[in-house]
Amino acid sequence: MKRIVYYTLLLVCVAVLPQQKAKAQIIEGEQIFSLTNGRVSMVVNASKGGKILSLKFKDKEVLSQSRWPESFGSTFWTSPQKEWNWPPVPEFDKQAYKVVRQSNDRLVITSPVSERLGLSVGKDIQVEYPRMGGKGNDPDFTITYSIKNEGSEPRSVAPWEITRVPNGDGLIFFEAPVDSIWPAGVMTFEGAHGAAWYKTDEAPQNRKVNADGTGWLAYCADGLLLIKEFDNLQAGQPAPGEAEVQVYVNRGKTYIELESQGAYKLLQPGEELKWKVVWYLIPVADAAQPSAELMKTVKDYIE
């Protein structure tokens, strides 16, 4: 009898979990989608590079909302950058993506084929809901990126996610020895509680560092903690001249890029790679300072 009651309660609880359709809005001719698990919401613009425009916990935004090009939201590129230099590949970063699937908790979009690279990319965005009996530390979104070789020749490539946040009173941290971060002396990192910590600051020049992390990258500011979880790369797996974890700080006090990369792989014609990044957005009471509590919070979520 107890077992019957338990399963009845379980079904009732699952039924009331927030299940909202990925809403499509047409705003000035653009196809914009809103997804939420009832706690954290995400907005994606399929018409302009499939960019993630917004990530909010309730009504509090964590992503950069700058209006300047290449300074807002979250995007996806192919690595290494030396293959295309600058600006970003327009088919991946600016042009309209095709909507492949739109359901209650999932949005799948694909880019046009890059004429220059012979590649296309895809984004499969899955809303995650709290599990019954879970520890309360479930993810909010899982994004599975894909890169497909659309050409007639083999091509080596790696996936690369770029998430832009404001350069305010924030903190960036990941697991890596401070003396292993390169190039040395570009940004000031503090080694504490088993991680490297960078307190956001301001400088008149652009800066970027690289590191061999352990499969996660975190940003804390304004009472929110954003955690990105991805594959932990081994030596020799990043693309040439690139790294698993990268942090770019734009000059002045404008915006910062949280960057992570997957393994560099050889794709035969028609072959596709997939790479998953899990997003957590969590309210925290701790100030944006290095602390054992923040490290414990990250570990509680990703382990």
Side-chain angles (χ1 to χ4, degrees), residues 219-242:
Y219 167 76
C220 183
D222 194 26
L224 291 178
L225 174 63
L226 173 64
I227 307 170
K228 303 291 198 71
E229 185 180 10
F230 39 83
D231 290 338
N232 179 21
L233 300 187
Q234 305 304 311
Q237 285 191 299
E242 304 285 350

Side-chain angles (χ1 to χ4, degrees), residues 78 92 112-114 117-121 147-150 155 157:
T78 58
F92 306 157
V113 178
S114 166
L117 300 179
L119 301 169
S120 66
V121 305
I147 303 175
K148 185 176 182 180
N149 184 356
E150 306 276 6
R155 189 169 191 96
V157 67

Side-chain angles (χ1 to χ4, degrees), residues 52-279:
I52 297 171
L53 302 180
S54 171
L55 184 71
K56 291 182 178 180
F57 179 87
K58 297 184 178 178
D59 61 351
K60 186 178 287 189
E61 179 66 62
V62 72
L63 300 186
S64 170
Q65 298 297 297
S66 169
R67 296 186 179 214
W68 292 100
E70 282 86 48
S71 66
F72 62 89
S74 185
T75 188
F76 179 77
W77 299 335
T78 58
S79 177
Q81 187 171 347
K82 68 179 182 180
E83 295 285 333
W84 47 267
N85 196 19
W86 195 260
V89 178
E91 292 90 348
F92 306 157
D93 193 69
K94 298 287 190 302
Q95 294 184 15
Y97 279 51
K98 177 183 177 182
V99 177
V100 176
R101 176 173 176 177
Q102 176 198 359
S103 66
N104 288 345
D105 52 13
R106 188 178 175 194
L107 178 66
V108 182
I109 55 178
T110 58
S111 79
V113 178
S114 166
E115 294 184 8
R116 179 178 177 183
L117 300 179
L119 301 169
S120 66
V121 305
K123 303 176 185 182
D124 184 340
I125 303 171
Q126 177 74 52
V127 180
E128 302 287 357
Y129 297 99
R131 295 169 297 174
M132 291 302 303
K135 297 185 297 181
N137 54 2
D138 299 300
D140 293 298
F141 291 91
T142 295
I143 305 177
T144 302
Y145 297 102
S146 59
I147 303 175
K148 185 176 182 180
N149 184 356
E150 306 276 6
S152 58
E153 300 292 333
R155 189 169 191 96
S156 295
V157 67
W160 184 6
E161 184 186 70
I162 301 92
T163 300
R164 301 176 179 116
V165 295
N167 186 354
D169 186 20
L171 184 71
I172 297 166
F173 60 107
F174 50 87
E175 282 183 299
V178 169
D179 58 8
S180 71
I181 299 171
W182 55 278
V186 174
M187 293 157 57
T188 302
F189 280 83
E190 173 186 348
H193 311 293
W197 308 74
Y198 165 67
K199 184 71 175 173
T200 57
D201 61 0
E202 183 178 357
Q205 70 277 351
N206 302 331
R207 296 165 289 162
K208 184 172 182 176
V209 296
N210 307 269
D212 176 18
T214 59
W216 62 270
L217 173 62
Y219 167 76
C220 183
D222 194 26
L224 291 178
L225 174 63
L226 173 64
I227 307 170
K228 303 291 198 71
E229 185 180 10
F230 39 83
D231 290 338
N232 179 21
L233 300 187
Q234 305 304 311
Q237 285 191 299
E242 304 285 350
E244 176 188 319
V245 170
Q246 299 174 313
V247 178
Y248 168 84
V249 182
N250 199 58
R251 65 182 178 272
K253 203 162 190 178
T254 49
Y255 71 95
I256 292 173
E257 291 181 349
L258 311 175
E259 306 179 14
S260 52
Q261 296 198 18
Y264 188 57
K265 295 183 178 180
L266 177 65
L267 297 181
Q268 298 297 331
E271 191 176 6
E272 182 180 58
L273 67 78
K274 293 185 182 292
W275 179 61
K276 183 173 70 175
V277 182
V278 181
W279 292 36

